[in-house]
Amino acid sequence: MTLQQLLYVIEIDKQGSFNAAATALYASQPTISVAIRDLEEEIGYKIFLRTNRGIKLTNRGVEFIHYAKKVIYEYDQLNEACLEYSKKDKIKFRVSSQHYGFLSEAFIIFFNSHNYDTYNFVMKETKSLEAIEDVFQKRSNIAIIAVTENNRTILEDIFEKKGIVFNHLSYPKPHVFVRKDHPLTKKDKIKVEDLSDFPALLYEQDGNDLLSEELVIQRKLNKVMYINDRATLIGIIGNSDAYNIGTGYLSDEMKNANMIAIPIESKHATSQELGWIHLEKYEPSIEAYQFIEIIRKLLNKNKVSRKAIVLE
């Protein structure tokens, strides 16, 4: 039994259907259905009855949701207490993000620039919705998020409902990440159709393709692998013909793995705005602004050095 399953149960009861709950939670209906099925199998009884008119709680389901709400309430209270606790001599800074090469480099620079006796720094690369939820639940001070034409309406709606502010960082151009001796490096320019014979690497988003981190949404992928971390992506790209589509930023780790970034041309390519988010009612800390300034400098430096790395 997980907190996520409890949240699903509560939302389904609130919305009156699995589909409505999936929409409200920006999750896929199959994901929620599987989670509830697994939960019901684990506890040994049905929480919901499915009828032609929708769903309703069973008698034991009524009791279950009563306790589920208490658990979520207590969890929120505990989380609030833990996050609010802070010693005067301990500096705390937590950042969540989608998967970007500049993030680890920015964090290293940030870490090395502080000489506090005690501190608590956290860097977390995760899925899009989880990064947003980390900020909303105050598990992270800020998060690095990309907004595209495909998901802007959805994300802006989430930001508004959760009281989150989106701040601009840059407008990165879509690039294909491949190894240096990949067959595609023979081309001066890459189009989406050039990628059809090669395996695509996509970051898993729990089935919600509209929240994909990739800058170009590709249709009818014949070969696709879903991953959850950059280390796996770098290892696969460096040793295969697989590719990923991203901002074009090449970290030292990626360069050492013989990766390059090639601009992609496509009528399906969307303009992406890279930015950072924080809760509107809380002013970002000095550390947050310092970290963002480090990212800005890295992105500007990458624009200058990319000509020597990218096949234009």
Side-chain angles (χ1 to χ4, degrees):
M1 186 183 304
T2 67
L3 288 173
Q4 188 67 63
Q5 288 171 319
L6 299 185
L7 289 171
Y8 285 161
V9 169
I10 293 171
E11 193 64 28
I12 292 169
D13 178 57
K14 177 182 176 181
Q15 299 294 337
S17 76
F18 281 62
N19 284 332
T23 300
L25 293 170
Y26 299 96
S28 66
Q29 191 272 335
T31 295
I32 291 183
S33 295
V34 170
I36 297 303
R37 182 196 65 196
D38 291 345
L39 176 60
E40 290 176 334
E41 289 179 357
E42 179 181 348
I43 62 179
Y45 59 84
K46 294 291 185 181
I47 299 173
F48 297 103
L49 288 177
R50 284 76 164 175
T51 69
N52 293 333
R53 298 181 179 180
I55 60 97
K56 66 178 183 177
L57 291 168
T58 62
N59 290 336
R60 298 194 69 177
V62 172
E63 181 181 14
F64 181 92
I65 203 168
H66 168 73
Y67 287 110
K69 289 179 178 179
K70 291 179 65 175
V71 169
I72 295 300
Y73 174 79
E74 293 296 333
Y75 170 79
D76 288 341
Q77 292 297 104
L78 176 61
N79 191 51
E80 183 76 18
C82 290
L83 291 176
E84 290 297 326
Y85 173 79
S86 176
K87 294 181 180 179
K88 292 183 179 180
D89 62 345
K90 177 173 285 189
I91 301 299
K92 292 186 177 181
F93 178 64
R94 301 171 295 271
V95 57
S96 293
S97 176
Q98 294 171 320
H99 304 81
Y100 298 114
F102 59 77
L103 187 65
S104 58
E105 293 189 358
F107 204 80
I108 291 171
I109 295 172
F110 175 81
F111 170 80
N112 289 332
S113 66
H114 291 80
N115 296 315
Y116 301 121
D117 292 332
T118 59
Y119 52 81
N120 189 330
F121 295 157
V122 177
M123 184 189 78
K124 177 182 177 183
E125 291 190 24
T126 186
K127 301 171 185 176
S128 304
L129 285 181
E130 188 169 345
I132 296 171
E133 192 66 17
D134 283 345
V135 170
F136 177 64
Q137 296 292 344
K138 292 188 283 186
R139 293 190 291 264
S140 289
N141 303 94
I142 63 173
I144 312 301
I145 294 290
V147 176
T148 71
E149 291 178 355
N150 294 303
N151 62 30
R152 181 174 293 275
T153 300
I154 294 176
L155 290 180
E156 288 182 346
D157 182 55
I158 295 175
F159 295 156
E160 182 179 359
K161 289 180 178 178
K162 294 183 178 292
I164 288 175
V165 177
F166 178 85
N167 305 276
H168 171 77
L169 271 174
S170 69
Y171 293 106
K173 180 180 178 180
H175 284 70
V176 178
F177 290 115
V178 292
R179 57 183 170 83
K180 283 186 177 180
D181 54 351
H182 192 284
L184 288 174
T185 60
K186 298 176 182 178
K187 294 180 175 291
D188 294 331
K189 297 179 181 179
I190 293 182
K191 299 180 179 180
V192 170
E193 50 265 34
D194 296 330
L195 302 171
S196 60
D197 292 332
F198 303 102
L201 287 176
L202 307 179
Y203 285 110
E204 174 63 38
Q205 297 290 341
D206 291 331
N208 197 330
D209 291 338
L210 287 178
L211 296 178
S212 170
E213 295 184 35
E214 285 67 41
L215 277 66
V216 178
I217 294 183
Q218 299 168 261
R219 312 296 180 185
K220 298 180 181 178
L221 287 171
N222 297 320
K223 305 173 184 178
V224 59
M225 291 182 282
Y226 289 96
I227 54 175
N228 289 297
D229 62 271
R230 282 193 306 112
T232 301
L233 178 140
I234 292 173
I236 294 176
I237 288 181
N239 295 279
S240 73
D241 285 342
Y243 69 90
N244 176 257
I245 298 176
T247 65
Y249 185 95
L250 287 163
S251 65
D252 290 340
E253 182 183 18
M254 298 165 80
K255 295 174 187 175
N256 291 336
N258 292 319
M259 286 176 58
I260 64 170
I262 308 174
I264 183 172
E265 291 188 353
S266 168
K267 62 181 180 181
H268 299 296
T270 60
S271 61
Q272 171 167 316
E273 182 178 10
L274 187 65
W276 61 284
I277 61 174
H278 68 87
L279 282 174
E280 184 174 15
K281 62 181 180 179
Y282 293 103
E283 176 67 19
S285 65
I286 294 175
E287 288 75 25
Y289 284 117
Q290 290 173 341
F291 187 74
I292 293 303
E293 184 59 25
I294 291 171
I295 289 178
R296 290 188 191 278
K297 290 180 178 179
L298 286 176
L299 293 176
N300 288 334
K301 179 181 178 181
N302 190 64
K303 289 179 182 178
V304 174
S305 63
R306 187 180 296 164
K307 292 182 179 180
I309 301 170
V310 176
L311 304 180
E312 295 288 2

